Amino acid sequence: MAGVLSGIMHAPLTGMFLIAEVTGGYTLMVPLMLVCSISYLVNRTMLKHSIYTKVLAESGDLISYEDKDRSVLSMMRIKYVLETKFVILRPDETPKSRQHDIIHSKRNIFPIVSHDGKFIGLVNSEYLFSILLGELDGLDTAFEKLAQKPNDIVVIHESMESVMSKMNKEDTWILPVLGPEQKYLGFVSKSSVFNKYRALLIRQGHYLE
């Protein structure tokens, strides 16, 4: 009994003392120690997680010392790192009609969103400034025709681990976040993720250690 508990729970001390208490077999403490130790070591070698932590590990919700990065990322949600302060351009507008907003924007990327909230594409400030300065044609061209496809998109309920994988795969610093029916919600950037990651790591530091 002690061997079974020690193996499936990855808790040799619990198995040893619990069974000794239940059966009153304290005279067999030395054999119990040997059985529990062997059972734990054999099971731990074959199975990384116990019967209680296996489900959490498979769902990505287990916080472990061995994988701090993944553990902290699993606690993050996109809605907490979502950035929304961007100048939104409409498909039927032109660089000329939004010249003032483009010039005074502190962002270098502009989402193009339809009047019903659907994400059409995006355009970067470098391209727009080239148009406004006359280096490229398109001053009176609708943004719908100037829209560029992002390297990838993120859905609002996507895991942060998946988001970072997309960013690293495409070597992208920022990605648009969409909700149901392709509705534009904002952007998620590596900067916001790193800031949140740092805050969570500090808050969970004692637990992870």
Side-chain angles (χ1 to χ4, degrees):
M1 292 168 64
V4 171
L5 284 178
S6 300
I8 64 174
M9 295 173 58
H10 287 187
L13 293 177
T14 300
M16 179 175 61
F17 288 110
L18 180 63
I19 299 306
E21 180 69 24
V22 170
T23 61
Y26 291 102
T27 55
L28 298 176
M29 187 60 69
V30 174
L32 277 177
M33 292 172 62
L34 292 174
V35 169
C36 291
S37 299
I38 294 172
S39 176
Y40 168 74
L41 291 174
V42 171
N43 200 283
R44 178 73 178 183
T45 301
M46 295 187 296
L47 298 175
K48 183 178 179 180
H49 303 287
S50 71
I51 190 173
Y52 296 111
T53 60
K54 184 178 179 181
V55 176
L56 290 173
E58 290 175 348
S59 65
D61 295 325
L62 179 66
I63 299 176
S64 64
Y65 178 84
E66 293 84 356
D67 193 359
K68 289 184 181 180
D69 288 341
R70 187 170 180 271
S71 299
V72 175
L73 284 176
S74 70
M75 294 186 290
M76 297 173 63
R77 297 294 180 266
I78 293 178
K79 63 181 180 179
Y80 297 125
V81 294
L82 187 66
E83 299 180 56
T84 58
K85 294 183 179 180
F86 290 83
V87 174
I88 296 176
L89 306 176
R90 301 301 179 185
D92 55 345
E93 295 176 335
T94 65
K96 185 177 181 180
S97 65
R98 297 298 302 275
Q99 179 175 348
H100 180 272
D101 295 326
I102 294 171
I103 293 174
H104 290 87
S105 174
K106 296 181 180 180
R107 299 285 190 168
N108 62 354
I109 194 169
F110 299 84
I112 300 174
V113 183
S114 65
H115 291 283
D116 59 355
K118 290 187 177 181
F119 180 75
I120 305 298
L122 51 83
V123 61
N124 60 64
S125 59
E126 184 179 356
Y127 182 47
L128 289 176
F129 286 147
S130 297
I131 293 176
L132 294 175
L133 293 174
E135 297 175 1
L136 295 174
D137 295 331
L139 192 61
D140 294 312
T141 303
F143 286 120
E144 187 174 15
K145 295 182 179 180
L146 299 176
Q148 302 168 341
K149 290 185 63 177
N151 291 335
D152 212 327
I153 61 170
V154 174
V155 294
I156 188 63
H157 297 301
E158 196 166 345
S159 70
M160 193 56 63
E161 188 178 2
S162 173
V163 173
M164 294 304 295
S165 177
K166 288 180 177 180
M167 287 183 171
N168 293 331
K169 180 181 178 182
E170 300 293 339
D171 193 21
T172 303
W173 193 262
I174 189 169
L175 289 173
V177 179
L178 306 183
E181 300 180 356
Q182 299 294 303
K183 298 288 186 178
Y184 165 78
L185 298 177
F187 284 86
V188 59
S189 69
K190 282 186 178 180
S191 298
S192 60
V193 174
F194 290 156
N195 289 335
K196 187 66 175 180
Y197 172 87
R198 192 182 304 113
L200 285 174
L201 195 60
I202 293 173
R203 191 171 67 185
Q204 296 292 334
H206 296 296
Y207 179 79
L208 293 173
E209 291 295 340

